[in-house]
Coordinates of all heavy atoms in Angstrom, one line a residue:
E330 N 46.7 -58.2 52.7 CA 46.9 -56.9 52.2 C 47.9 -56.1 53.0 O 48.7 -55.3 52.5 CB 45.6 -56.1 52.1 CG 44.7 -56.7 51.0 CD 43.5 -55.8 50.7 OE1 43.3 -54.8 51.5 OE2 42.7 -56.0 49.8
S331 N 47.9 -56.4 54.3 CA 48.9 -55.7 55.2 C 50.3 -56.1 54.9 O 51.2 -55.3 55.4 CB 48.5 -56.0 56.7 OG 49.0 -57.3 57.1
Q332 N 50.5 -57.2 54.2 CA 51.9 -57.6 53.9 C 52.5 -56.7 52.8 O 53.7 -56.8 52.5 CB 51.9 -59.0 53.5 CG 51.6 -60.0 54.6 CD 51.5 -61.4 54.1 OE1 50.6 -61.7 53.3 NE2 52.3 -62.3 54.6
G333 N 51.7 -55.9 52.2 CA 52.2 -55.0 51.1 C 51.7 -55.4 49.7 O 51.2 -56.5 49.5
A334 N 51.8 -54.5 48.8 CA 51.3 -54.8 47.4 C 52.0 -56.1 46.9 O 51.3 -56.9 46.3 CB 51.5 -53.6 46.5
I335 N 53.3 -56.1 47.0 CA 54.0 -57.4 46.8 C 54.9 -57.6 48.0 O 55.8 -56.8 48.3 CB 54.9 -57.3 45.5 CG1 54.0 -57.1 44.3 CG2 55.8 -58.5 45.4 CD1 54.8 -57.0 43.0
M336 N 54.7 -58.7 48.7 CA 55.4 -58.9 50.0 C 56.9 -58.9 49.8 O 57.4 -59.5 48.8 CB 54.9 -60.3 50.5 CG 55.5 -60.7 51.8 SD 55.0 -62.3 52.3 CE 56.1 -62.6 53.7
D337 N 57.6 -58.3 50.8 CA 59.0 -58.3 50.8 C 59.5 -59.6 51.4 O 59.5 -59.8 52.6 CB 59.5 -57.1 51.6 CG 61.0 -57.1 51.8 OD1 61.7 -58.0 51.2 OD2 61.5 -56.3 52.6
R338 N 59.7 -60.6 50.6 CA 60.1 -61.9 51.1 C 61.6 -62.1 51.4 O 62.0 -63.1 52.0 CB 59.7 -63.0 50.1 CG 58.2 -63.1 49.9 CD 57.7 -64.1 48.9 NE 56.3 -64.2 48.9 CZ 55.4 -63.4 48.2 NH1 55.9 -62.5 47.4 NH2 54.1 -63.6 48.3
E339 N 62.4 -61.1 51.1 CA 63.8 -61.1 51.4 C 64.1 -60.8 52.9 O 65.1 -61.2 53.5 CB 64.6 -60.1 50.5 CG 66.1 -60.4 50.6 CD 66.8 -59.7 49.4 OE1 66.2 -58.9 48.7 OE2 68.0 -60.1 49.2
N340 N 63.1 -60.1 53.6 CA 63.3 -59.8 54.9 C 62.4 -60.5 55.9 O 62.2 -60.0 57.0 CB 63.1 -58.2 55.1 CG 64.3 -57.5 54.5 OD1 65.5 -57.7 54.9 ND2 64.0 -56.7 53.5
E341 N 61.8 -61.6 55.5 CA 61.0 -62.4 56.4 C 61.9 -63.4 57.1 O 63.1 -63.6 56.7 CB 60.0 -63.2 55.6 CG 60.5 -64.2 54.6 CD 59.5 -64.9 53.8 OE1 58.3 -64.6 53.9 OE2 59.9 -65.7 52.9
H342 N 61.4 -64.1 58.1 CA 62.1 -65.1 58.9 C 61.2 -66.3 59.1 O 60.3 -66.2 60.0 CB 62.6 -64.5 60.2 CG 63.4 -63.3 60.1 ND1 64.8 -63.3 59.8 CD2 63.1 -61.9 60.1 CE1 65.3 -62.1 59.7 NE2 64.3 -61.2 59.9
L343 N 61.4 -67.3 58.3 CA 60.5 -68.4 58.3 C 60.8 -69.4 59.4 O 61.9 -69.5 59.9 CB 60.5 -69.1 57.0 CG 60.2 -68.3 55.7 CD1 60.3 -69.1 54.5 CD2 58.8 -67.7 55.9
G344 N 59.7 -70.1 59.8 CA 59.9 -71.1 60.9 C 59.5 -72.5 60.4 O 59.2 -72.7 59.2
S345 N 59.4 -73.5 61.3 CA 59.2 -74.9 60.9 C 57.8 -75.1 60.4 O 57.5 -76.0 59.7 CB 59.4 -75.8 62.1 OG 58.6 -75.4 63.2
S346 N 56.8 -74.2 60.7 CA 55.5 -74.3 60.3 C 55.3 -73.8 58.8 O 54.2 -74.0 58.2 CB 54.5 -73.5 61.2 OG 54.7 -72.1 61.0
D347 N 56.4 -73.3 58.2 CA 56.2 -72.7 56.9 C 56.7 -73.6 55.8 O 57.0 -73.1 54.7 CB 57.1 -71.4 56.9 CG 56.5 -70.3 57.9 OD1 55.3 -70.1 57.9 OD2 57.3 -69.8 58.7
V348 N 56.8 -74.9 56.0 CA 57.4 -75.7 55.0 C 56.4 -75.8 53.7 O 56.9 -75.9 52.6 CB 57.6 -77.2 55.5 CG1 58.8 -77.2 56.5 CG2 56.4 -77.7 56.2
G349 N 55.1 -75.6 53.9 CA 54.2 -75.6 52.8 C 54.4 -74.3 52.0 O 54.4 -74.4 50.7
V350 N 54.7 -73.2 52.6 CA 54.9 -72.0 51.9 C 56.2 -72.1 51.1 O 56.3 -71.7 49.9 CB 55.0 -70.8 52.9 CG1 55.5 -69.5 52.3 CG2 53.7 -70.6 53.6
V351 N 57.3 -72.6 51.7 CA 58.5 -72.8 51.0 C 58.4 -73.7 49.8 O 58.9 -73.4 48.7 CB 59.6 -73.4 52.0 CG1 60.9 -73.7 51.2 CG2 59.9 -72.4 53.1
R352 N 57.6 -74.8 50.0 CA 57.4 -75.7 48.8 C 56.6 -75.0 47.7 O 56.9 -75.2 46.5 CB 56.8 -77.0 49.3 CG 56.7 -78.0 48.2 CD 58.1 -78.4 47.8 NE 58.0 -79.3 46.6 CZ 59.0 -79.4 45.7 NH1 60.2 -78.8 45.9 NH2 58.9 -80.2 44.7
L353 N 55.6 -74.3 48.1 CA 54.8 -73.6 47.1 C 55.6 -72.7 46.3 O 55.5 -72.7 45.0 CB 53.7 -72.8 47.8 CG 52.9 -71.8 46.9 CD1 52.0 -72.6 46.0 CD2 52.1 -70.8 47.8
R354 N 56.5 -71.9 46.9 CA 57.4 -71.0 46.1 C 58.3 -71.8 45.2 O 58.5 -71.3 44.0 CB 58.2 -70.2 47.1 CG 57.3 -69.2 47.9 CD 58.2 -68.5 49.0 NE 57.4 -67.7 49.9 CZ 57.8 -67.0 50.9 NH1 59.1 -67.1 51.2 NH2 57.1 -66.3 51.7
K355 N 58.8 -72.9 45.6 CA 59.7 -73.7 44.7 C 58.9 -74.2 43.5 O 59.4 -74.2 42.4 CB 60.3 -74.8 45.5 CG 61.4 -75.6 44.6 CD 62.1 -76.6 45.4 CE 63.3 -77.2 44.6 NZ 62.9 -77.6 43.2
I356 N 57.7 -74.7 43.8 CA 56.8 -75.2 42.7 C 56.6 -74.1 41.7 O 56.7 -74.3 40.5 CB 55.5 -75.7 43.2 CG1 55.7 -77.0 44.0 CG2 54.5 -75.9 42.1 CD1 54.4 -77.5 44.8
L357 N 56.3 -72.9 42.1 CA 56.0 -71.8 41.2 C 57.2 -71.3 40.5 O 57.2 -71.1 39.3 CB 55.4 -70.6 42.0 CG 54.0 -70.8 42.6 CD1 53.6 -69.6 43.4 CD2 53.0 -71.1 41.5
R358 N 58.4 -71.3 41.2 CA 59.6 -70.8 40.5 C 60.0 -71.9 39.4 O 60.4 -71.5 38.3 CB 60.7 -70.7 41.5 CG 60.6 -69.4 42.4 CD 61.7 -69.4 43.4 NE 63.0 -69.4 42.7 CZ 64.1 -69.8 43.3 NH1 64.2 -70.4 44.5 NH2 65.3 -69.8 42.6

Side-chain angles (χ1 to χ4, degrees):
E330 291 190 353
S331 76
Q332 292 173 301
I335 296 178
M336 180 184 169
D337 175 8
R338 295 178 173 85
E339 193 163 14
N340 287 301
E341 66 184 358
H342 302 280
L343 300 180
S345 58
S346 67
D347 298 311
V348 291
V350 171
V351 172
R352 187 61 190 158
L353 171 70
R354 294 173 184 176
K355 187 176 189 311
I356 290 171
L357 292 176
R358 287 179 58 208

